[in-house]
Amino acid sequence: MYFLKNYGNILSCIRTCFIFNVYCIIKKNINDSFINFNNFLKINKIYFFLKNNKKNYLLISLSIKSFLNILNFNLKQSVIILLGNEKNSLNKKFFLLSDIILKIKTYCKKSLNVNVVNGICLFKLLKYDL
């Protein structure tokens, strides 16, 4: 959630992550007084955090240009999922740092709300069954 700027999107993503018992990473300068959950970490420089902790997790990024579909993965290790915003996506240096770049196939190239993408990622990558 580090790359998000809209408080509504940030809060809805934190709430979804709370349901899945997952932590979110948000910018250190975001006012968290409106957040009623405790499942987030405040980080100042995300790139250095990711690079310095690389051995502890698998880094997954999402891009519509990827050839790997999110439906085909079954993960059993700690992961960090990078979600960019719709206009700018992620910076190239984050894609280069990523272990896997996945996409969510959409109908007619329609965009999805970031919280919907967050929920799909958590559901599919953590293999929850209804």
Side-chain angles (χ1 to χ4, degrees), residues 74-94:
N74 185 5
L75 301 172
K76 300 199 188 286
Q77 66 189 92
S78 297
V79 298
I80 291 181
I81 303 169
L82 294 178
L83 303 173
N85 63 32
E86 191 174 5
K87 291 181 182 176
N88 300 325
S89 184
L90 293 171
N91 188 306
K92 184 178 179 180
K93 66 182 178 182
F94 291 103

Side-chain angles (χ1 to χ4, degrees), residues 32-46:
D32 62 354
S33 64
F34 69 97
I35 302 172
N36 296 326
F37 302 97
N38 60 357
N39 63 318
F40 61 90
L41 303 170
K42 291 183 121 184
I43 303 293
N44 194 23
K45 301 282 185 184
I46 188 70

Side-chain angles (χ1 to χ4, degrees), residues 9 11 19 25 45-46 54 63 80 85 97 107-108 113:
N9 284 337
L11 183 58
I19 292 168
I25 298 173
K45 301 282 185 184
I46 188 70
K54 189 86 171 99
S63 172
I80 291 181
N85 63 32
L97 192 61
Y107 176 73
C108 294
N113 176 280

